[in-house]
Amino acid sequence: MATGLSWIQGAKGYLTPPCIRMFFLGFSSGLPLLLVLGTLGFRLREAHVSLVTIGFMSWVGLVYAIKWLWAPVVDHLSIPVLTEKLGRRRSWLAASQVALAAGLCGMAFVDPAQSLKATVALAMFTAFASATQDIVLDAYRIESASVETQGMLAASYQFGYRIAMIWAGAGALGIAAAVAGVNSVEYVPRAWTVSYLAMAASVSVGLATVLLSPEPAPSRDAQAAPAAESGLPARLRGMFWRPLADFYERYGRWTAVLIALVAIYRISDVVMGIMANPFYSDMGFTKAEVAVVIKVFGVAMTLLGTFAGGLVVLKIGVLKALMLGGALSAGTNLLFSLLAAVGHSVPLLAVIVSADNLAGGLASAAFVAFLSGLTSRRFSATQYALLSSIMLLLPKTIAGFSGVVVDSVGYSRFFILTALIGVPVMILVWMIGRSPFARGPTPGS
């Protein structure tokens, strides 16, 4: 819903403690993703792993798409001793972050050129720890503020998330390039060991934030629900079925349309993104060139896009922001097709990375705010995990075949195809705009 607040008044919301806290927690969430997908793709390509194998390895990301399977466990069960000291949400956050750091350390010391299976196993473990962290972080964000302020929290979260992705992308590449030699295009295993160890150390940002943050107070219904169930069948029904029933009760026949939009909103970005770093490598860009472009232009435009995304949601509403973000995200994929035709050009790469990051930041902020508005506080971890899992399931599945498509039609046509598959997103957003709840959220109690 649009608001009468000025842009300056809206911007001041980013300086409140909850938003600052969500910035650092967003950094913690965004750090691992590229390290098991995009940046890992560059590392694998340097190690002469085939594009087809890299494409199939993107299925590691499906771990994020099935996190709803263990989200009810995270939502209901306590960790002995740790939960008593930190609380339900913070204890799970701390445990998942320690596991995440351990997984990244393991990836640092395993050479994919020598032990590809071990690399896959460690990437899976790291993704599992990361997905578990996301389950709890999403619940923490939703339980930390009212529905009306979720847009600002979502933008702050995405602000930190996108910076972490830049650090895990440009930062990791820059560190590897510095160790291997700035202009080196050869595969140097030690360079990637140092890079991944630095990323593991970066997990401390999230852990410190968790230890210094307050435990959110769950809703009265969320506290009472577990106690109302007795016996294992009833408890399992309460953990797995009640969140689904609650969602359908609130949205009725529009549930299918909402789920369809959630399932395909990120499809253009995800499918294209798997081949981005291998594309840079095949186009002759060095690690240093990619790192500098992402660091200088990517950082600026990501921050601008995410910052603008939160304000756009505040000013024009979630659905209009979703439409704008979806259109820009799909459209910028056409620029990558242009780069494939032009060839090695650092200035053009800078323009494309800038446009892609601007669109991605805006779309992500709008989409997180949209998902948060759909979620009931009574089942925050489970419902959001299910929605975000649905968000990734189809795109990640299709992305696994991206290497096969590139080998068949080339990079240029591949990027055009990824833009075209974003068209149905616009149709679904338009349909939801005509729904009974389009003028505002339908939150749970």
Side-chain angles (χ1 to χ4, degrees):
M1 182 180 295
T3 176
L5 288 175
S6 70
W7 291 99
I8 295 178
Q9 288 174 319
K12 288 181 179 179
Y14 286 117
L15 301 178
T16 60
C19 283
I20 294 173
R21 188 179 305 124
M22 290 316 304
F23 167 80
F24 288 108
L25 292 177
F27 179 91
S28 183
S29 178
L31 181 67
L33 186 62
L34 287 183
L35 299 175
V36 298
L37 294 174
T39 301
L40 181 59
F42 201 115
R43 181 183 184 183
L44 294 174
R45 193 57 174 161
E46 265 202 349
H48 306 294
V49 176
S50 72
L51 285 176
V52 173
T53 300
I54 293 174
F56 286 136
M57 279 198 64
S58 71
W59 282 341
V60 168
L62 288 174
V63 171
Y64 294 92
I66 61 172
K67 62 186 179 182
W68 59 272
L69 291 174
W70 67 95
V73 175
V74 175
D75 217 358
H76 287 79
L77 298 187
S78 301
I79 300 177
V81 181
L82 199 58
T83 297
E84 296 178 5
K85 294 183 177 297
L86 298 179
R88 185 164 54 119
R89 299 306 186 197
R90 293 198 303 150
S91 61
W92 275 102
L93 280 174
S96 62
Q97 288 165 347
V98 170
L100 176 59
L104 290 174
C105 286
M107 293 182 70
F109 289 108
V110 171
D111 181 1
Q114 303 295 325
S115 305
L116 186 58
K117 290 183 179 179
T119 300
V120 173
L122 286 165
M124 289 286 290
F125 175 82
T126 303
F128 177 81
S130 173
T132 303
Q133 176 188 227
D134 287 350
I135 291 170
V136 195
L137 280 178
D138 292 330
Y140 187 97
R141 184 186 69 254
I142 293 167
E143 293 172 1
S144 295
S146 64
V147 173
E148 290 73 18
T149 58
Q150 283 297 325
M152 297 297 288
L153 286 186
S156 298
Y157 182 88
Q158 284 294 313
F159 209 60
Y161 189 98
R162 301 292 290 192
I163 288 180
M165 290 187 70
I166 292 168
W167 174 235
L173 290 173
I175 293 171
V179 176
V182 175
N183 296 316
S184 173
V185 293
E186 299 297 323
Y187 177 58
V188 181
R190 190 176 72 87
W192 290 105
T193 296
V194 174
S195 178
Y196 268 72
L197 286 176
M199 296 301 108
S202 300
V203 176
S204 62
V205 172
L207 185 57
T209 303
V210 169
L211 296 178
L212 295 174
S213 298
E215 175 76 4
S219 68
R220 183 177 303 172
D221 287 342
Q223 289 175 313
E229 306 287 354
S230 60
L232 183 59
R235 288 179 62 85
L236 290 176
R237 185 168 56 251
M239 290 171 65
F240 290 92
W241 173 248
R242 289 179 64 230
L244 301 178
D246 170 82
F247 192 89
Y248 182 78
E249 287 169 2
R250 288 185 291 123
Y251 297 108
R253 64 188 180 89
W254 286 96
T255 299
V257 181
L258 289 168
I259 295 301
L261 176 60
V262 171
I264 69 171
Y265 188 78
R266 296 295 309 278
I267 195 168
S268 291
D269 278 348
V270 173
V271 175
M272 185 281 294
I274 295 300
M275 286 293 114
N277 277 317
F279 170 64
Y280 299 150
S281 179
D282 286 347
M283 293 296 291
F285 292 104
T286 66
K287 292 187 292 294
E289 287 174 333
V290 175
V292 168
V293 167
I294 295 176
K295 179 173 146 183
V296 175
F297 297 95
V299 167
M301 300 309 289
T302 293
L303 298 184
L304 177 60
T306 306
F307 183 82
L311 294 182
V312 167
V313 170
L314 197 63
K315 293 293 291 184
I316 69 175
V318 173
L319 290 179
K320 290 181 180 179
L322 276 178
M323 180 71 80
L324 178 61
L328 291 176
S329 294
T332 53
N333 287 8
L334 297 176
L335 296 178
F336 284 91
S337 180
L338 174 63
L339 180 60
V342 171
H344 185 281
S345 172
V346 174
L348 183 57
L349 177 65
V351 171
I352 292 171
V353 167
S354 298
D356 188 53
N357 280 273
L358 177 64
L362 193 153
S364 295
F367 195 50
V368 171
F370 175 67
L371 294 184
S372 299
L374 294 179
T375 305
S376 169
R377 286 177 62 92
R378 289 181 293 170
F379 312 103
S380 54
T382 302
Q383 285 188 352
Y384 197 96
L386 181 59
L387 290 173
S388 57
S389 294
I390 292 171
M391 171 189 74
L392 292 174
L393 183 59
L394 182 61
K396 289 295 183 185
T397 301
I398 295 176
F401 298 99
S402 57
V404 176
V405 177
V406 171
D407 276 351
S408 299
V409 304
Y411 280 115
S412 183
R413 291 182 180 178
F414 168 75
F415 291 131
I416 292 174
L417 289 174
T418 61
L420 291 177
I421 60 178
V423 174
V425 170
M426 308 296 102
I427 298 173
L428 288 174
V429 174
W430 174 81
M431 289 177 62
I432 291 173
R434 298 168 61 86
S435 68
F437 53 87
R439 291 187 177 85
T442 306
S445 55

